Amino acid sequence: MAYYSEFYGGSVVQKIINLKKLHYGVYYATSDEDLAKKVVEVSRSMQIDFAQSFYNMGELPIVKMIKPLPEVSTSYSLPICYEPLETPHTSIETANLNMKFKVPIPSSHIDKNFVQARFVSNYRTSQMLGSCVCIHGFICRCRYAFAKDVIIFHVHGGGFVSQTSESHLDYLHQWSSALDVPILSIDYSLAPEAPFPRALEEVFYCYVWMLNNFESLGTTGKKIILAGDSAGGNLITSLTLKTITNCIRIPDALLLSYASLLTQFYPSPSRLLTLMDPLLMTPTMVKCLNAYTDPNYLDSLPRSLENELELGTSEQNIFLSPLLAEQNLLKHFPKTVFIETDVDACLDENVQFCSKLLEAGVDAKMEVLSGLPHGFLGFCSLSKDCQIGVDHVTQVFCDLISSL
């Protein structure tokens, strides 16, 4: 963060001057005190555009060159264009009347008529979307397989303000290959340009789109697993609440990785870890949460840290903060697996939500990994420890699929 702040924005000339001033990258590596001062300074003074850019570094070409992506048969980017969609109701009363639910087309905050998505699969069926990697060669080596019974619906993290599925492709490719299931990952619109409820509207629409397009996704759709990390964990939990309240098909399982389940600045013991976390510091967390929850955030920029703390909202909305959901809704949740770390700022809210699910009679369990940072899934290409974490989560995923 310290280095990045020296080269974010400004002219090319200023960047060259900063590079020389930092002794071509050696300065902060040899001065711990100056490094710490700079990180604290940046975290207090940065605006949301800096946070968006900093957390999106994993999508820079130079970073993606560090480690080649694991090979899969298909990794296909597709736009999901808005059109009227329906899906059957699941309640007895409406099912007997053959009534269908019409999913609302996303309409809040921005004028956009599609959602970008990423489809990943390590096998091909005759009706599957996209093309195989063999398209770049002269001979296709793929053999068509039967449709699989399981599909993963994935929503990425990034603090609601940053990243796309590109930042998460390494472990998504690993999952698709190791689990032999297709994955549909949603690139929802980001705050603050598209605050709540836009991202949830898009994720909900794409879920219903998936229900109508199983054949094109190489699956029978017998089993649906929702997976999400951080902000993505919030969105898939809220999506599950949407399926329950609208009486449509509920997913068969959830895998929540260090999910942000309370979009309020509440100083729980684990959240106090942000006072020491160099990647998810307190000012960063507050800015990201406010950017997502405040529809007037852009109009109030620039904001100081004091402004962020004063203007933060505490709206009691279960679709913003799934942790607030009551037992009458939670009892309908499917089997849920929580992935957490013992140094994660979101640990407490996940422990509490897991406890609430257990009290509601839901099959829920939590895996707590040691020493890994918030967002470790996305760091697997840069860290051996994070790759070990991904390997563990992959095994948990495999056990989850086997249990369904």
Side-chain angles (χ1 to χ4, degrees):
M1 181 182 287
Y3 282 115
Y4 193 74
S5 66
E6 300 285 1
F7 302 101
Y8 178 74
S11 65
V12 174
V13 173
Q14 185 60 51
K15 290 176 182 178
I16 294 174
I17 293 173
N18 288 345
L19 183 61
K20 290 182 178 180
K21 182 178 70 176
L22 296 174
H23 308 301
Y24 299 96
V26 178
Y27 179 72
Y28 287 131
T30 58
S31 178
D32 292 341
E33 183 178 350
D34 288 335
L35 173 61
K37 288 180 178 178
K38 186 64 177 180
V39 169
V40 172
E41 175 194 330
V42 172
S43 68
R44 288 182 60 87
S45 62
M46 70 177 178
Q47 296 300 306
I48 195 66
D49 58 334
F50 177 85
Q52 289 177 308
S53 180
F54 178 70
Y55 289 117
N56 212 42
M57 283 196 300
E59 299 182 22
L60 295 174
I62 191 171
V63 177
K64 291 192 287 186
M65 290 171 58
I66 294 175
K67 177 188 172 186
L69 286 174
E71 290 189 3
V72 292
S73 297
T74 301
S75 187
Y76 174 64
S77 180
L78 69 149
I80 298 177
C81 298
Y82 299 149
E83 60 182 357
L85 284 180
E86 297 179 341
T87 191
H89 275 290
T90 55
S91 65
I92 296 176
E93 296 83 359
T94 52
N96 289 339
L97 296 174
N98 200 29
M99 295 177 63
K100 291 193 174 184
F101 171 75
K102 296 181 180 180
V103 61
I105 291 178
S107 59
S108 64
H109 299 301
I110 59 173
D111 183 16
K112 185 179 175 185
N113 62 2
F114 71 97
V115 182
Q116 201 68 28
R118 168 75 60 167
F119 177 61
V120 180
S121 174
N122 200 36
Y123 66 91
R124 297 287 304 169
T125 65
S126 58
Q127 302 298 319
M128 186 178 281
L129 287 170
S131 58
C132 63
V133 294
C134 306
I135 198 71
H136 301 295
F138 295 101
I139 301 174
C140 179
R141 301 177 181 84
C142 294
R143 293 183 179 180
Y144 288 138
F146 292 109
K148 308 296 182 181
D149 288 337
V150 178
I151 185 169
I152 297 171
F153 184 88
H154 173 263
V155 183
H156 67 80
F160 301 104
V161 303
S162 186
Q163 301 187 1
T164 68
S165 56
E166 286 281 337
S167 297
H168 301 254
L169 276 184
D170 195 305
Y171 71 84
L172 290 179
H173 281 205
Q174 292 184 55
W175 283 356
S176 182
S177 179
L179 304 173
D180 199 28
V181 297
I183 301 172
L184 182 65
S185 183
I186 309 304
D187 292 342
Y188 54 90
S189 297
L190 301 172
E193 293 78 11
F196 178 84
R198 181 65 187 212
L200 181 56
E201 290 176 351
E202 294 178 351
V203 168
F204 187 33
Y205 181 90
C206 291
Y207 178 78
V208 176
W209 181 89
M210 179 188 70
L211 296 179
N212 283 272
N213 288 275
F214 285 141
E215 187 176 48
S216 298
L217 298 171
T219 180
T220 63
K222 290 182 179 179
K223 301 294 180 182
I224 298 172
I225 302 176
L226 305 189
D229 66 297
S230 192
N234 174 291
L235 290 168
I236 66 166
T237 308
S238 298
L239 167 60
T240 304
L241 289 168
K242 283 284 188 182
T243 65
I244 294 168
T245 56
N246 288 285
C247 298
I248 65 171
R249 179 173 174 181
I250 299 171
D252 298 280
L254 271 69
L255 184 75
L256 298 174
S257 300
Y258 40 87
S260 173
L261 299 173
L262 184 66
T263 56
Q264 302 170 7
F265 185 62
Y266 180 77
S268 69
S270 70
R271 285 199 173 184
L272 293 178
L273 290 171
T274 60
L275 296 172
M276 301 176 289
D277 191 327
L279 290 176
L280 187 62
M281 301 188 76
T282 300
T284 309
M285 172 177 273
V286 175
K287 287 179 185 294
C288 290
L289 294 180
N290 286 349
Y292 181 59
T293 59
D294 185 353
N296 300 310
Y297 190 86
L298 280 175
D299 295 331
S300 62
L301 295 178
R303 282 187 176 190
S304 65
L305 177 57
E306 289 72 20
N307 295 149
E308 296 287 1
L309 295 172
E310 291 171 2
L311 298 174
T313 61
S314 296
E315 186 176 344
Q316 303 296 302
N317 185 329
I318 63 171
F319 299 114
L320 261 176
S321 299
L323 181 61
L324 304 177
E326 299 292 339
Q327 297 286 324
N328 64 317
L329 294 175
L330 296 181
K331 67 182 181 181
H332 298 291
F333 261 65
K335 183 171 186 175
T336 303
V337 177
F338 294 81
I339 302 294
E340 261 297 355
T341 85
D342 57 359
V343 292
D344 178 41
C346 297
L347 175 60
D348 290 345
E349 57 212 76
N350 280 267
V351 170
Q352 189 175 352
F353 192 65
C354 183
S355 297
K356 291 182 72 171
L357 289 179
L358 290 170
E359 291 171 5
V362 176
D363 184 357
K365 72 172 186 176
M366 175 174 286
E367 298 260 350
V368 181
L369 308 184
S370 177
L372 293 178
H374 184 92
F376 72 85
L377 289 174
F379 301 145
C380 61
S381 62
L382 304 173
S383 164
K384 290 183 180 180
D385 289 337
C386 291
Q387 178 57 55
I388 292 172
V390 169
D391 293 338
H392 181 82
V393 175
T394 304
Q395 185 57 54
V396 171
F397 226 141
C398 184
D399 296 340
L400 175 60
I401 292 172
S402 300
S403 70
L404 297 179

